Amino acid sequence: MKSIGPRWPSEIDRDVDEEIASHLDLRREELVANGVAPADAAAAAARKFGNRDDVAEACRLIDRKYRDQERRTGMLTDLRQDLGYAVRLFSRSPGFAVIAILTLAIGIGATSTIFTLANWALLRPLPGVADPDRVAIVWVGRAADRGFYPSRLSYPNLADAVGRLQTISLGAYQGGSVSASAGGPSDEARNLGAQFVTASYFDVLGLRLQIGRPFTSAEDVPPSPFLGAVISDRLWTSMFGRDPAVLQRTLTLSGVRFAVLGVAPPGFQGTERLSSTDLWLPGTSEAIVNHQKLLRYDARNSGGFYELVARLRPGATWPQAQAELDSLRAWLRDEYPADNQNFKTSGFTVMGPVGPPPMGRERLPKLVRLMGAASLLVLLIACANVAGLLTIKGVGRRSEIAVRKALGAGRWRLVRQQLAEGTLLWLCGGAAALLVVLLLRRAFDVSSVVMVRGLDTTPPIDWRVLSFTLVSSLLVGLAFSVLPALGATRAEAAETLRATTPAATRHGFAGASLAVFQLAASLTLLVGAFLLVGTVRHLARVPLGFDPQGLVVFYVRPGSIGYSEPEALAYIEEFQRRLRQAAGVRQAATMMTVPFAGVSMGTRIRTVDGAGEGPISETPVNSLFSSSYFATLGIPLLKGRLFADADFAAARRGDARPVILSDGLARRLFGTADPLGREVAFPVMGRKGLRYQVIGVVGTVRYFSLTEDPETMVYEPEVDRGALRTVTIVARGDQPAAIAQAARRIAAELNPALPVVNVVSMPDAVARYRGESETLARLLVMLSGVAALLACVGLYGVVAHGVAMRRREFGIRVALGASPAQVWRLVARTTAAITGAGLVFGLGGGFALAQVLRNRLIGVHPFDPVLWSLAAGTLVLVAVLASLKPARAATRVNVNETLRAL
Amino acid sequence: MDRTTIDLLQGTLGVLILKSVNREPLHGYGIARWIEQVTGDEVLIEDGSLYPALHRLQAMKLLTSEWGVSDSGRRVKRYTITEQGRAQLRAETQRWQRFSGAVSKALVTRT
């Protein structure tokens, strides 16, 4: 047999040397035979040969290169062979391959998506902030049961605070949004997130701008601060094309020209990972930008900031800082009792380190952890399942492997073949997972958890996470395939024929345990899925009090560019008029607050009789600009009448003050008595002591929550200039996209510097409030579906395997007269045992999951018998389906064959 | 040296080697002797230059080699021509004949 050639470097060297030595010997012998003296012959031979060392070296180099080449092509050929074999194997049983790839894709894809989300929302370091562990957000206000009542820290108070605090250095910021355009005021503007900050903000965060410099405190002086803006890296790209001379450019914000002072570090968008701020402006420019003539910087009891950033000074701790802030609050309250009244109830709260969104600080990590655990579980099951399937396939190929071994294939070669099959499956699964990630990105909407509107909470595709998941699942896959591969190749020829070897029984038991595990996990996830779907359905059926279908909501901010009150009113009227005429719009209305997509002012309303005060109730107020609000939203009128245009005119003149109450409010204030014509009083910003007349009662509408009791509401025609800053417009039509387009077009026509903002369709806005439940429900439905499928396939494999092992037994029984039904019962007994065990463990797991989910289940009892029965029933159905085919095969065992094999 | 030593191009050496083993496998020394004998000692090469050429031909898959035992009981490495080698030999022979024929024609032309 021809040799492959020398393999090791030392072998090559020896070879070459021997060859040359042999030549020299032969030459020498010939010379001697021709009469040369032996002593001279060796020298003559050497001379004739030439430089022996050079020759040897040349030959060695050639041989080594050749050998490396051969080895490489050899490996490639082997790999191609292995993969080709694997592909052929899978195309012979495509069902198996498809299921395996699909389950791997979903498992890897879901896990990747969730880890991407977790990284993006919770874990990644905040760009630009130096040493973020020592920086925290501090809120000014007071915490209450139903949320946080913010308060402001005025400029004089802030100055005092900075002077007195030893443990922390303080900066302040105030969020907002501005309409901005590059260049002139007539260029089309867009809405950007902005923060009005003190000069110390940049120092506290340790921000190093990539270009330029931030403004100094000397430049941030009211009433005319230096009009310079620090822009984000993202804005530098989108608005200025990364112009290196951006410091010479200007920006127009709400009609005011600002210079570009500097560019923030790449990726910095504010102090929260999910925030979207693009502009940092001097704090005292807020009055100019927002056209607020009432804003004051010298008063201790007005103006200021809601949020602070604090950096721990070296050697200090956060508890010390909180204690110092508490004593600061007491000082402010006592030192200026008249001006700092709010500090009787408000204080400072260290919210925690920069990064997480303040509102979702605790809920978001919990949600993500839950989602992550569920996905990992399914991924693990998927990997185990595919490995199990490969094992069973391996068992089925025992004879083939035995033959290949007999033909001389080394064991390593066979194992490598199996590994190639596993790797191919996992690679295909990983590639498909990419598709899954693309689809799932938008499905997991966490915006309701963080209670932020208009934010893009879809994380970008994180290639690091994806490749990490792929690589780690590949390693897991290899790990899971090695054992079956080794086991399969260990089979001795004789064993293939014998049915009940110890190895086979071990396989059987392992397979059965795996099936029990899969069934239990599926049932757990199914219980969770049914419970959450029940919650979502309950939330969807909650009566809203209005019809959300076909509604589109958006905002305009005429006050933000300095329109006076008559100008703003005229703008709104014109907008409404044009909108109503636009194609696809049936109705439109303008107001301050709209359900699920607005904010509102609160007030305390009381009845007024001649005889003094009546019941008092806290309620939000909705100021309307047009009489069509109720019709547009579909809110029913219960008593009295709605506002007419005349009412608006009268209210503006001050002649009359009509109000409409919601049903719940009317009952709370007047009980069963008729509210029409009665008087009420409620203070609203700047207006106190006014009386209003009730002219109508409308149906109760849910404004802010799907789970709490519906709110009450008092409606009034708008007369207050303050409300003109941001106006909500809602329109009803057949196609939300057409309405949105019309709105944008009209805004551009009327004034390009006033864009429409936060366009959202009402069903989407409502859905955001269901968002967390829906997200979780969606995930659990998907995962439980996958788990059930896996359990089905796994169980099928186990039962089929068991039947195959017991062929002889069945054959004998049939030969001895057993009926098909009896054979069926035998198979059913094993299946029932496995399913039973799965049910028991699954119910236990479901119990645990129900406890974990307890707080998220709304309108659904954690142990709702109907839902649990449905879940258990689904599992039983899965088990039955899995065992049908093998059971039938058992009854069809060929008796003659079995008898002959005895 | 009073014999004409013709400088051999590297490629030509390869052709000679292929021809030498065309009939039967030979070891390196045997190939050297064959070249000497067949060319009537007209062509003299340093023995040493033979071996890199042999190894190169093997790397190009025109030859294969294996260790064996010579008549005198010595371990020798014999080279055998492959199918590819035979094809190469045929091609090179044709090319050489055309080339030398052309040059001869040019040299005998009256100028």
Side-chain angles (χ1 to χ4, degrees):
Chain A
M1 192 160 63
K2 289 218 164 32
S3 70
I4 311 166
R7 292 215 199 102
W8 307 109
S10 50
E11 258 187 61
I12 291 180
D13 293 349
R14 245 195 351 233
D15 235 40
V16 166
D17 286 338
E18 199 174 342
E19 197 179 8
I20 293 175
S22 150
H23 178 108
L24 286 171
D25 278 343
L26 286 167
R27 179 64 80 184
R28 187 174 47 80
E29 277 170 15
E30 195 211 333
L31 286 172
V32 165
N34 283 351
V36 179
D40 302 325
R47 259 199 319 267
K48 180 137 177 56
F49 192 81
N51 189 330
R52 178 187 182 162
D53 291 326
D54 282 350
V55 170
E57 186 58 27
C59 289
R60 264 180 254 150
L61 280 174
I62 295 174
D63 278 354
R64 281 211 200 107
K65 225 168 61 160
Y66 176 54
R67 184 222 37 205
D68 287 340
Q69 217 173 325
E70 286 297 285
R71 186 177 290 172
R72 260 192 306 245
T73 36
M75 282 203 315
L76 275 175
T77 338
D78 279 347
L79 189 66
R80 253 211 317 252
Q81 234 182 9
D82 285 341
L83 286 178
Y85 196 80
V87 169
R88 259 174 292 143
L89 194 71
F90 293 145
S91 46
R92 253 187 282 146
S93 41
F96 158 75
V98 164
I99 292 181
I101 292 175
L102 214 72
T103 53
L104 285 174
I106 294 181
I108 298 174
T111 317
S112 288
T113 309
I114 290 168
F115 284 146
T116 303
L117 187 67
N119 183 49
W120 183 74
L122 297 173
L123 300 171
R124 63 189 162 111
L126 211 54
V129 177
D131 214 357
D133 295 329
R134 297 189 73 78
V135 186
I137 306 277
V138 176
W139 274 10
V140 187
R142 67 181 171 90
D145 288 335
R146 275 241 209 152
F148 198 89
Y149 287 85
S151 178
R152 288 179 107 166
L153 187 66
S154 60
Y155 274 76
N157 282 342
L158 177 62
D160 281 339
V162 168
R164 292 180 69 85
L165 290 171
Q166 309 268 16
T167 53
I168 50 178
S169 51
L170 217 55
Y173 64 102
Q174 184 61 29
S177 58
V178 288
S179 58
S181 61
S186 53
D187 293 344
E188 193 173 323
R190 46 181 152 135
N191 210 58
L192 294 177
Q195 283 181 338
F196 298 97
V197 303
T198 59
S200 50
Y201 176 84
F202 301 99
D203 294 325
V204 167
L205 290 181
L207 273 181
R208 297 210 168 289
L209 304 193
Q210 25 174 341
I211 301 182
R213 58 161 190 93
F215 45 84
T216 61
S217 41
E219 290 167 327
D220 184 17
V221 173
S224 18
F226 179 58
L227 297 179
V230 174
I231 64 174
S232 70
D233 184 85
R234 181 171 71 174
L235 191 64
W236 182 33
T237 308
S238 64
M239 202 178 247
F240 296 102
R242 294 190 92 79
D243 181 356
V246 68
L247 295 184
Q248 272 112 41
R249 307 274 296 265
T250 60
L251 207 54
T252 303
L253 304 175
S254 298
V256 180
R257 263 221 148 83
F258 272 73
V260 177
L261 276 184
V263 179
F268 182 73
Q269 305 276 155
T271 43
E272 293 154 33
R273 287 190 191 91
L274 294 181
S275 88
S276 200
T277 309
D278 284 307
L279 292 166
W280 291 271
L281 310 171
T284 54
S285 66
E286 192 182 350
I288 300 173
V289 172
N290 285 340
H291 298 275
Q292 277 179 321
K293 307 208 172 66
L294 295 177
L295 211 59
R296 298 183 53 190
Y297 300 102
D298 52 346
R300 205 169 271 277
N301 60 358
S302 97
F305 301 91
Y306 288 111
E307 290 169 276
L308 312 167
V309 273
R311 179 181 283 276
L312 267 184
R313 295 232 169 89
T317 64
W318 287 117
Q320 287 176 341
Q322 178 70 61
E324 205 181 26
L325 285 167
D326 290 336
S327 64
L328 172 71
R329 168 215 172 186
W331 184 85
L332 285 172
R333 176 195 62 203
D334 296 334
E335 191 70 12
Y336 302 96
D339 290 333
N340 283 341
Q341 293 240 357
N342 58 330
F343 279 102
K344 284 203 191 122
T345 44
S346 299
F348 301 96
T349 319
V350 178
M351 295 301 284
V354 288
M359 290 300 259
R361 193 169 280 266
E362 273 161 24
R363 296 176 69 197
L364 187 60
K366 277 202 198 128
L367 175 66
V368 174
R369 262 200 294 263
L370 201 60
M371 287 161 68
S375 296
L376 266 181
L377 185 66
V378 172
L379 180 61
L380 220 59
I381 298 178
C383 287
N385 203 48
V386 175
L389 288 175
L390 283 172
T391 310
I392 293 180
K393 265 214 165 294
V395 167
R397 288 161 63 198
R398 279 225 164 116
S399 41
E400 171 217 324
I401 290 175
V403 169
R404 288 179 84 194
K405 271 175 107 176
L407 284 179
R411 185 160 174 218
W412 165 235
R413 186 85 174 74
L414 290 170
V415 171
R416 217 177 51 201
Q417 165 71 46
Q418 305 256 30
L419 288 181
E421 287 164 17
T423 311
L424 185 63
L425 272 183
W426 258 269
L427 280 176
C428 292
L434 186 59
L435 283 171
V436 172
V437 167
L438 284 171
L439 287 172
L440 277 186
R441 270 195 319 151
R442 300 194 175 277
F444 297 147
D445 184 6
V446 295
S447 56
S448 74
V449 179
V450 303
M451 301 293 260
V452 180
R453 265 194 339 238
L455 205 56
D456 184 17
T457 48
T458 310
I461 296 191
D462 191 338
W463 294 105
R464 266 176 319 167
V465 171
L466 194 62
S467 26
F468 173 76
T469 319
L470 186 64
V471 167
S472 48
S473 67
L474 191 67
L475 292 174
V476 168
L478 281 174
F480 273 101
S481 327
V482 162
L483 282 179
L486 287 175
T489 54
R490 202 189 306 134
E492 296 303 335
E495 266 190 34
T496 13
L497 301 173
R498 234 176 301 140
T500 47
T501 58
T505 343
R506 250 187 296 126
H507 270 288
F509 185 69
S513 325
L514 189 64
V516 168
F517 173 59
Q518 286 175 342
L519 286 169
S522 308
L523 183 57
T524 308
L525 291 170
L526 279 169
V527 165
F530 273 104
L531 286 176
L532 280 168
V533 168
T535 304
V536 169
R537 287 195 57 206
H538 171 86
L539 287 177
R541 281 194 311 245
V542 164
L544 296 171
F546 68 98
D547 179 15
Q549 290 304 327
L551 284 178
V552 175
V553 184
F554 52 92
Y555 308 86
V556 289
R557 306 171 68 240
S560 72
I561 60 166
Y563 277 1
S564 66
E565 180 184 339
E567 284 172 336
L569 279 173
Y571 177 88
I572 294 166
E573 297 265 350
E574 183 60 20
F575 202 117
Q576 238 185 186
R577 195 184 64 77
R578 293 198 192 187
L579 191 59
R580 283 206 191 102
Q581 288 173 345
V585 177
R586 277 188 270 141
Q587 286 158 318
T590 40
M591 73 293 302
M592 205 174 111
T593 308
V594 77
F596 296 102
V599 294
S600 82
M601 309 279 283
T603 188
R604 311 178 90 216
I605 187 171
R606 56 190 168 82
T607 61
V608 181
D609 287 325
E613 303 198 349
I616 299 182
S617 181
E618 285 203 357
T619 179
V621 181
N622 197 355
S623 310
L624 309 180
F625 285 99
S626 60
S627 47
S628 49
Y629 175 73
F630 301 101
T632 309
L633 256 66
I635 301 174
L637 172 70
L638 299 178
K639 279 204 186 98
R641 63 178 184 83
L642 300 175
F643 296 131
D645 290 335
D647 291 312
F648 282 87
R652 280 190 198 122
R653 281 196 309 265
D655 293 343
R657 279 180 290 273
V659 285
I660 295 178
L661 304 178
S662 73
D663 191 25
L665 186 60
R667 253 177 293 133
R668 213 185 281 179
L669 291 176
F670 297 104
T672 47
D674 183 10
L676 295 181
R678 300 281 298 273
E679 287 194 323
V680 291
F682 55 94
V684 181
M685 215 166 58
R687 292 175 282 148
K688 286 187 163 61
L690 294 175
R691 294 177 174 206
Y692 300 80
Q693 203 179 42
V694 178
I695 63 162
V697 178
V698 292
T700 297
V701 172
R702 284 178 176 278
Y703 273 86
F704 303 114
S705 162
L706 288 172
T707 53
E708 320 272 359
D709 288 331
E711 300 81 4
T712 56
M713 186 64 79
V714 55
Y715 301 91
E716 58 154 5
E718 179 46 53
V719 294
D720 196 330
R721 180 176 49 177
L724 289 174
R725 288 197 37 72
T726 306
V727 173
T728 316
I729 304 185
V730 68
R732 181 183 289 281
D734 297 314
Q735 277 193 336
I739 301 176
Q741 213 176 27
R744 291 198 181 97
R745 180 180 47 84
I746 294 172
E749 282 169 6
L750 286 178
N751 188 340
L754 264 190
V756 295
V757 216
N758 286 344
V759 183
V760 66
S761 83
M762 186 60 83
D764 285 345
V766 179
R768 282 219 192 101
Y769 278 74
R770 289 199 293 263
E772 194 180 326
S773 307
E774 269 197 7
T775 296
L776 209 49
R778 227 176 271 160
L779 180 69
L780 277 179
V781 165
M782 184 186 73
L783 290 180
S784 61
V786 171
L789 180 68
L790 291 177
C792 186
V793 171
L795 187 62
Y796 169 82
V798 166
V799 176
H801 182 69
V803 164
M805 291 289 119
R806 292 165 75 187
R807 282 179 86 81
R808 265 190 351 179
E809 179 196 335
F810 291 142
I812 293 171
R813 284 182 189 264
V814 170
L816 291 177
S819 68
Q822 283 173 315
V823 175
W824 201 296
R825 256 207 302 267
L826 282 173
V827 178
R829 241 196 309 198
T830 354
T831 318
I834 297 178
T835 313
L839 264 174
V840 166
F841 288 115
L843 288 174
F847 181 80
L849 187 61
Q851 299 288 34
V852 169
L853 291 177
R854 200 174 204 123
N855 294 336
R856 298 173 192 276
L857 299 178
I858 300 158
V860 166
H861 191 273
F863 301 111
D864 183 323
V866 172
L867 293 175
W868 278 72
S869 317
L870 280 174
T874 312
L875 192 73
V876 171
L877 185 67
V878 162
V880 166
L881 276 174
S883 53
L884 271 181
K885 192 153 168 259
R888 263 209 349 208
T891 59
R892 293 231 194 96
V893 168
N894 192 322
V895 182
N896 289 332
E897 246 183 56
T898 357
L899 290 180
R900 248 181 288 141
L902 276 177
Chain B
M1 185 155 333
D2 57 359
R3 275 179 257 249
T4 3
T5 28
I6 306 177
D7 275 330
L8 277 178
L9 300 168
Q10 207 178 16
T12 333
L13 178 57
V15 176
L16 288 178
I17 294 175
L18 286 177
K19 183 71 183 177
S20 69
V21 293
N22 193 23
R23 189 87 40 90
E24 52 168 353
L26 282 177
H27 52 70
Y29 181 68
I31 293 173
R33 292 291 295 136
W34 182 91
I35 291 176
E36 285 164 9
Q37 285 162 359
V38 160
T39 61
D41 274 344
E42 287 284 347
V43 177
L44 286 176
I45 48 171
E46 263 190 351
D47 283 354
S49 61
L50 194 59
Y51 283 92
L54 276 171
H55 284 238
R56 221 173 279 125
L57 287 173
Q58 180 180 10
M60 287 170 17
K61 300 223 202 317
L62 303 176
L63 298 176
T64 56
S65 69
E66 58 174 336
W67 281 96
V69 175
S70 75
D71 306 330
S72 46
R74 179 187 305 269
R75 240 172 82 89
V76 289
K77 195 179 197 184
R78 286 204 183 82
Y79 290 85
T80 317
I81 193 169
T82 63
E83 269 314 309
Q84 211 175 332
R86 269 189 240 272
Q88 182 81 0
L89 176 59
R90 276 196 297 269
E92 289 293 316
T93 314
Q94 280 182 359
R95 200 176 312 151
W96 174 260
Q97 282 166 346
R98 279 210 312 271
F99 172 67
S100 61
V103 171
S104 306
K105 256 207 315 204
L107 290 177
V108 298
T109 308
R110 290 178 192 280
T111 29

